Amino acid sequence: MLRLIILVISQSVLLVAAQSFLKISVMLFGKFAWTWHYFKTVFTTWQFAVSGVCALSAMIVWMYTLKHYDFSLAYPLLSISYVIGLLAAFFIFHETIPLTRWIGVVIVMIGVYFIAK
């Protein structure tokens, strides 16, 4: 069970990293335009490339997890990515998180505990 939890947390961290780097990169792209300059900016932004690498890595970890563990156990544990995503929003993007979302995180963590039990 510990190995599954480590795999799911690793996959979730990679998934949240991919989305965080994607958010950073789209903020750097500027206003969308059908121009070569815009698309050159998209494909030469290192944050966009790192987002892709993280997403691919998350998929590989998830493929391994699906091969070795029951879907009915592994998939619900992925809800921990919501918690990691909320923490990324708070610490990386300095977003204000309302109390209701923090309560939701606690509820999700309780659910993860019961699934893992």
Side-chain angles (χ1 to χ4, degrees):
M1 179 57 90
L2 180 61
R3 185 179 178 115
L4 172 61
I5 292 171
I6 290 169
L7 284 167
V8 169
I9 290 173
S10 299
Q11 194 270 349
S12 295
V13 167
L14 286 166
L15 191 60
V16 170
Q19 298 304 314
S20 297
F21 278 110
L22 185 60
K23 179 174 176 63
I24 292 166
S25 62
V26 297
M27 291 183 334
L28 296 172
F29 294 163
K31 186 177 177 190
F32 178 80
W34 288 102
T35 63
W36 287 111
H37 176 71
Y38 179 81
F39 286 100
K40 180 183 173 205
T41 302
V42 169
F43 292 111
T44 58
T45 303
W46 69 266
Q47 291 91 341
F48 186 68
V50 171
S51 173
V53 170
C54 288
L56 180 62
S57 300
M59 184 180 67
I60 291 169
V61 171
W62 184 238
M63 289 169 56
Y64 178 87
T65 304
L66 288 176
K67 183 172 178 75
H68 293 92
Y69 296 95
D70 290 342
F71 187 75
S72 63
L73 178 60
Y75 192 73
L77 290 177
L78 275 183
S79 60
I80 197 151
S81 64
Y82 297 127
V83 176
I84 298 168
L86 190 80
L87 293 172
F90 184 76
F91 288 109
I92 296 171
F93 299 109
H94 307 289
E95 296 179 7
T96 302
I97 312 296
L99 178 62
T100 53
R101 288 190 201 145
W102 289 114
I103 293 169
V105 164
V106 170
I107 292 169
V108 167
M109 292 305 293
I110 292 169
V112 167
Y113 172 78
F114 282 120
I115 291 167
K117 200 74 174 134

